[in-house]
Amino acid sequence: NTTLSDIENFAKHDKCVAIGEIGLDYYWVSDNKEKQKEIFIKQILLAKQLDLPIIVHDREAHADVLEILKKYKPKGVVHSFSGSVEMAEEILKLGMYLGIGGVITFKNAKKLPDVVKMLPMDKMLLETDAPYLTPVPFRSKTNHSEMIYLTAQKIAEIKETTLDEILEISYNNANKLFGL
């Protein structure tokens, strides 16, 4: 088991640019919510102490994740964002980024296209979540970074811009957030 002390030691390495993926996941186990919240908060406080952004995991825990982010106001990104437009607006008010992955290409992605429409370009990051959430038309295959252009293409379509612009903006946003 990795301890907070271990995370702090790893975070001091020159190549470390963030603390994460940290957060809440109520999908598999929901009887340990208080423990999950306690650990998440400790990790946020560590990231703030080290002046590092966080990469937030939120699976079926939107209300609790948002409550904690509002209280502690870390810098970072909500990875593989799956919340509503309203939740996105609240996260953006905190100055955080939203990570958009292959789900945007899925036919059953109901809320995400609306989130992408309203998402300011300077708060958008592309991601793969490899080996999962592979974009259409490779949905049943193993995801990898070479497929990120499919996510970017779909976002470009929604935003009525070019693939190259989406790729460049996301690249610049990642460099800014992670201090690269």
Side-chain angles (χ1 to χ4, degrees):
N1 286 342
T2 304
T3 66
L4 199 60
S5 169
D6 292 332
I7 295 170
E8 183 173 5
N9 288 332
F10 295 142
K12 290 178 181 175
H13 191 283
D14 289 345
K15 292 188 177 186
C16 181
V17 297
I19 302 289
E21 176 177 332
I22 61 173
L24 305 176
D25 191 324
Y26 298 164
Y27 181 76
W28 296 106
V29 180
S30 61
D31 64 351
N32 66 351
K33 290 180 182 181
E34 293 309 311
K35 188 67 173 171
Q36 285 191 49
K37 288 192 271 187
E38 175 189 326
I39 293 168
F40 183 32
I41 290 165
K42 285 179 180 178
Q43 292 169 330
I44 289 172
L45 294 173
L46 174 63
K48 289 181 75 142
Q49 174 191 325
L50 298 173
D51 195 30
L52 287 172
I54 62 171
I55 301 168
V56 179
H57 176 88
D58 170 14
R59 190 164 186 196
E60 297 194 12
H62 297 325
D64 287 346
V65 165
L66 187 56
E67 179 183 335
I68 290 169
L69 293 177
K70 283 177 157 183
K71 182 172 182 180
Y72 293 96
K73 297 177 176 54
K75 59 185 176 181
V77 57
V78 177
H79 144 79
S80 197
F81 186 77
S82 62
S84 65
V85 167
E86 295 77 17
M87 182 178 182
E89 289 169 343
E90 293 298 313
I91 290 167
L92 293 169
K93 284 179 193 173
L94 298 171
M96 295 184 77
Y97 293 74
L98 298 182
I100 309 298
V103 172
I104 191 64
T105 69
F106 297 0
K107 287 180 184 164
N108 65 350
K110 304 283 187 240
K111 298 177 282 184
L112 198 52
D114 291 332
V115 168
V116 168
K117 279 179 195 164
M118 63 72 64
L119 179 59
M121 298 279 251
D122 66 342
K123 291 298 178 182
M124 173 197 65
L125 293 177
L126 297 175
E127 61 176 89
T128 62
D129 200 30
Y132 308 108
L133 302 178
T134 308
V136 171
F138 302 107
R139 189 165 176 187
S140 63
K141 308 282 190 252
T142 299
N143 198 0
H144 53 81
S145 58
E146 290 176 11
M147 294 183 185
I148 205 161
Y149 78 94
L150 295 164
T151 298
Q153 271 182 338
K154 183 64 178 180
I155 293 171
E157 177 186 313
I158 293 168
K159 294 293 230 180
E160 299 179 355
T161 188
T162 66
L163 169 65
D164 286 343
E165 183 179 17
I166 296 300
L167 292 171
E168 183 177 346
I169 287 170
S170 180
Y171 175 79
N172 292 335
N173 290 346
N175 284 331
K176 183 178 175 185
L177 175 62
F178 299 119
L180 303 174

